Amino acid sequence: METRSHLYFAPSVGRTSEDDQHYLIFHIPGNPGLITYYDPFLSTLHALLSSSPTSPSANFHICGHSLAGFETTEQTHKLAGLHAQIQHVDDLLYEEVDEVRHQSRQSPKVLLMGHSVGAYILLEIIRRHRRRIEGGATDFDLIGGILLFPTITHIARSPSGMVASALLAIPRAAHIASAIIKSITYLIPASFLYHLIRVFACFPEHAARTTAAFIKSPIGVKESLILGKDEMDMITNDKWGEEIWGAATEPGTNSKDTIHSNLVFFWGSNDKWVAQNTRNELIDARGFRRSKASSSTASSISDASSPVDGWKPSMFIDDKKIPHGFCIKHSEVVAEQVRTWVEEIILNHNES
């Protein structure tokens, strides 16, 4: 069983004109890094944005790629740790920017999205982008980032992280565990495995098909565990400085590149992969609380209107008990909320 390693949703046919602005929304998956887990989420988001009356002159290109090592076809594969995944995603992003530029004959404005460890990769991509600009390079216009259930500090202190870090600390744990799973599922046809997952895990069609492909893939299980070990070891302290958390644009950089004021964090209320104390510490250090919620699906803890703290990222805590793996059964409700944030980021960017 094979799944696609790339999803792309083009602007609606007949809706584009030469005066329209093109936007590239580039999504970075979590672990396991198969992009087809996000097919309903990205397709719903595309439909919502394409029909939105608040952005009639905007054309949205929405895409995402599987992380390296999660390909489900039989070909040569190489395991990739977290550093290699960051470089892999950075390369793919530039390929997509070039492709949209070729299609639209204009440089698109770019908005990044990342889920779980994909949010960590997103911040590293922003850091690289800012350094290129501050070094005098000409780069694309990165207007914002949306981080969904982000695992960006001390993941090993979370309830699930404590279990994972203990298991992955066993020597050659990834190789042993993947070999065991391979031996158990080797004689099970992918189609039958798909039905088992649908029945016993109660997964919808897209998630069951993707999970079956993941289990039967050449190195997907081993890659997931190798990457997971890096997450436990490397995602610790808040490692980002002013280039992420709100420094004013330095002289000589792209004055329209307002990434510093357009980051949105969406935290789970009871996320098993995020320790609540580390989440709250990050919010206290980087966000700004206010008592009134600004969203129907999330409580706001950031006040963009504050004259002192307005540069800080917008941060929200979910109030609907959406699980960390939202892309399994909660794609539509998250897409509805993300649509609002995308429109707000575009509005803020156009007014800057």
Side-chain angles (χ1 to χ4, degrees):
M1 180 176 289
E2 297 180 1
T3 62
R4 292 170 292 168
S5 61
H6 174 223
L7 295 178
Y8 173 69
F9 300 90
S12 301
V13 176
R15 191 174 183 269
T16 64
S17 72
E18 292 183 358
D19 296 329
D20 289 350
Q21 175 61 54
H22 287 257
Y23 294 90
L24 171 62
I25 300 177
F26 185 90
H27 181 65
I28 309 167
N31 183 9
L34 291 87
I35 194 61
T36 46
Y37 276 122
Y38 302 89
D39 196 345
F41 167 63
L42 296 178
S43 61
T44 300
L45 178 61
H46 182 262
L48 290 170
L49 289 171
S50 298
S51 60
S52 172
T54 62
S55 52
S57 61
N59 286 306
F60 294 99
H61 305 253
I62 300 180
C63 73
H65 291 258
S66 294
L67 297 181
F70 291 97
E71 300 87 354
T72 59
T73 55
E74 292 291 343
Q75 51 184 261
T76 302
H77 299 278
K78 184 179 180 181
L79 293 169
L82 186 51
H83 282 308
Q85 294 290 1
I86 294 167
Q87 184 61 56
H88 175 70
V89 172
D90 200 32
D91 292 341
L92 291 172
L93 173 58
Y94 276 87
E95 290 178 10
E96 292 292 350
V97 170
D98 287 343
E99 179 62 27
V100 173
R101 185 182 289 122
H102 175 74
Q103 291 181 24
S104 64
R105 299 183 180 180
Q106 65 173 252
S107 184
K109 298 183 184 296
V110 177
L111 194 154
L112 301 178
M113 292 193 304
H115 173 224
S116 191
V117 70
Y120 179 95
I121 295 173
L122 181 154
L123 294 179
E124 285 297 294
I125 297 297
I126 293 175
R127 187 214 295 266
R128 293 182 176 204
H129 172 76
R130 295 296 300 167
R131 286 180 176 174
R132 290 186 191 107
I133 290 178
E134 290 166 5
T138 300
D139 214 348
F140 56 80
D141 195 0
L142 179 56
I143 68 169
I146 297 173
L147 296 84
L148 304 171
F149 302 87
T151 54
I152 58 174
T153 61
H154 296 294
I155 186 174
R157 296 182 185 176
S158 67
S160 295
M162 287 189 286
V163 175
S165 59
L167 294 175
L168 292 172
I170 299 171
R172 297 185 60 80
H175 301 274
I176 295 169
S178 62
I180 292 172
I181 293 172
K182 282 286 185 183
S183 64
I184 293 173
T185 61
Y186 178 74
L187 296 177
I188 302 177
S191 58
F192 185 61
L193 183 60
Y194 157 76
H195 288 292
L196 288 177
I197 295 168
R198 288 218 68 178
V199 171
F200 291 101
C202 298
F203 277 12
E205 187 274 337
H206 82 282
R209 191 171 300 280
T210 301
T211 303
F214 165 59
I215 293 171
K216 299 290 283 185
S217 65
I219 62 169
V221 174
K222 187 183 294 185
E223 170 59 39
S224 180
L225 296 170
I226 292 289
L227 178 57
K229 179 65 165 62
D230 270 6
E231 292 177 56
M232 299 303 121
D233 294 342
M234 295 171 58
I235 300 179
T236 53
N237 296 322
D238 175 4
K239 61 187 293 185
W240 297 280
E242 293 181 343
E243 74 273 20
I244 297 297
W245 296 122
T249 304
E250 296 293 334
T253 66
N254 180 1
S255 62
K256 293 293 286 183
D257 188 45
T258 55
I259 186 64
H260 60 278
S261 62
N262 285 296
L263 285 179
V264 177
F265 289 72
F266 185 48
W267 308 90
S269 57
N270 189 28
D271 192 332
K272 300 303 182 184
W273 286 102
V274 177
Q276 291 196 21
N277 62 322
T278 60
R279 179 198 69 192
N280 293 338
E281 288 171 3
L282 188 66
I283 289 169
D284 290 340
R286 304 302 190 182
F288 182 76
R289 290 184 179 272
R290 67 179 178 185
S291 58
K292 186 177 180 180
S294 64
S295 163
S296 60
T297 63
S299 299
S300 173
I301 49 176
S302 173
D303 186 357
S305 64
S306 167
V308 177
D309 298 290
W311 55 266
K312 291 185 176 181
S314 299
M315 294 188 179
F316 300 84
I317 296 178
D318 165 53
D319 59 9
K320 291 190 176 296
K321 299 182 179 179
I322 300 172
H324 182 86
F326 75 91
C327 55
I328 304 297
K329 297 181 180 179
H330 296 79
S331 295
E332 289 75 16
V333 66
V334 175
E336 287 273 5
Q337 181 57 65
V338 169
R339 184 268 300 270
T340 300
W341 292 327
V342 169
E343 292 174 342
E344 289 175 355
I345 287 172
I346 291 173
L347 178 63
N348 290 341
H349 177 73
N350 290 338
E351 291 180 347
S352 64

